[in-house]
Amino acid sequence: MNGIKTGFLLMVLTAILLVIGYLIGGTGGLIVFLIIAGVMNFSAFWWSDKFALRMAGAREVSADEAPGLYAMVEEVAYAATMPMPKVYVIESPTPNAFATGRSPEKGVVAVTTGIVQLLTEHELRAVIGHEMAHVKNRDTLTSSIVATIAGAISMISFMLIFFGGNRNAFIAIAIAILAPLAASIIQFAISRTREFAADETGARIVRDPWALASALEKLHRGVEQMPMQETPQQEAVAALYIVHPFSGGGMGRLFSTHPPLEDRIARLRNMSL
């Protein structure tokens, strides 16, 4: 169902793109701006992992440096029938974790020092399972496709104001505002859907949904007590973390990249393996 929902939302995004492209100048205008957005996001797809790790301040660790963590990631990778990912550590007291990598062969799991100190072994293994699920489900690829379409919508909508010809100016401005807003809402909805999917896949990998539910509760409290500093670097990778890393509620559920925590926990506790 998560895959069907993601596919449907991608179709809606594509439909918005086609409508805006037609309004600005037929297929010619659509193709030009789609190519521009595609080039930008192609670059992000190939180098997004390095960008994310650098922005988060993560450093790679070896089995000698972090034997317990490394062995745990290796164990989860084996359970998921995936190649061993690279292991990174972020020196931060805020408990959190994320994964990146465009394919299972390029997978990376990054955890903060705070999460290692806060969670039990079972809970940390469940979190790693969640992050490995993101790599296994190729969520980086999905995010890149979504970003390409949403970026094209934003650019074409902006150009509609200046190159809309004799069309009604009010309609052009309305489309320029509403179309990117709709694209962003759909983009966030897809991100939330992928989080639900990673929760489910990760819980099945480690065969312990209750451990992941418990970890999410602890992480939520931990972030409330010790949130990350909202720097431009951390804001750039905030959506990757398993829980939102900053204090406060942001702009609400509609504009959140993460599903409501209570919904995630309820789903996990109702899972049957």
Side-chain angles (χ1 to χ4, degrees):
M1 288 302 297
N2 283 318
I4 293 172
K5 183 178 179 181
T6 300
F8 173 75
L9 291 172
L10 279 169
M11 288 174 60
V12 174
L13 266 182
T14 304
I16 294 174
L17 177 63
L18 293 175
V19 169
I20 300 302
Y22 176 78
L23 289 175
I24 197 172
T27 56
L30 169 63
I31 292 172
V32 169
F33 289 103
L34 184 58
I35 290 174
I36 294 173
V39 170
M40 293 171 57
N41 287 281
F42 177 81
S43 300
F45 173 69
W46 282 101
W47 295 291
S48 60
D49 53 347
K50 295 180 177 62
F51 172 81
L53 293 166
R54 188 178 301 112
M55 292 297 99
R59 67 177 182 87
E60 186 175 3
V61 294
S62 65
D64 292 332
E65 293 176 277
L69 176 62
Y70 199 92
M72 188 179 293
V73 174
E74 192 172 33
E75 176 188 338
V76 175
Y78 178 80
T81 63
M82 293 173 60
M84 175 65 184
K86 294 181 179 179
V87 181
Y88 279 70
V89 169
I90 304 164
E91 296 291 338
S92 171
T94 305
N96 230 317
F98 72 84
T100 186
R102 61 184 179 272
S103 68
E105 292 74 24
K106 299 292 183 180
V108 174
V109 172
V111 301
T112 65
T113 51
I115 197 174
V116 176
Q117 296 170 358
L118 177 67
L119 300 185
T120 67
E121 182 178 327
H122 289 292
E123 291 166 344
L124 183 57
R125 183 182 291 107
V127 168
I128 292 172
H130 169 97
E131 299 307 336
M132 293 289 287
H134 274 306
V135 180
K136 188 181 184 74
N137 294 341
R138 297 180 183 268
D139 287 336
T140 302
L141 175 60
T142 301
S143 298
S144 297
I145 295 172
V146 172
T148 299
I149 299 174
I153 288 172
S154 297
M155 285 189 292
I156 293 175
S157 298
F158 179 76
M159 296 302 295
L160 182 61
I161 298 177
F162 300 98
F163 301 104
N166 296 322
R167 297 179 179 86
N168 187 293
F170 175 79
I171 295 177
I173 294 173
I175 292 175
I177 295 172
L178 295 177
L181 179 63
S184 295
I185 292 173
I186 294 172
Q187 189 174 5
F188 295 148
I190 291 175
S191 177
R192 294 193 293 271
T193 299
R194 303 322 299 163
E195 284 299 320
F196 279 132
D199 283 344
E200 180 179 353
T201 304
R204 293 191 184 282
I205 288 172
V206 300
R207 303 191 61 79
D208 197 348
W210 279 75
L212 182 54
S214 175
L216 290 174
E217 288 182 322
K218 285 187 178 181
L219 293 176
H220 178 67
R221 291 196 299 269
V223 170
E224 284 187 332
Q225 295 171 4
M226 196 171 295
M228 284 187 177
Q229 185 178 359
E230 294 188 48
T231 63
Q233 291 83 1
Q234 288 296 351
E235 289 176 357
V237 296
L240 295 177
Y241 285 104
I242 187 171
V243 296
H244 191 68
F246 306 132
S247 60
M251 295 187 69
R253 291 186 176 187
L254 189 64
F255 295 98
S256 174
T257 55
H258 292 73
L261 188 70
E262 59 271 21
D263 291 352
R264 298 174 69 182
I265 292 172
R267 290 191 182 201
L268 286 166
R269 287 181 172 163
N270 289 327
M271 275 185 64
S272 58
L273 297 176

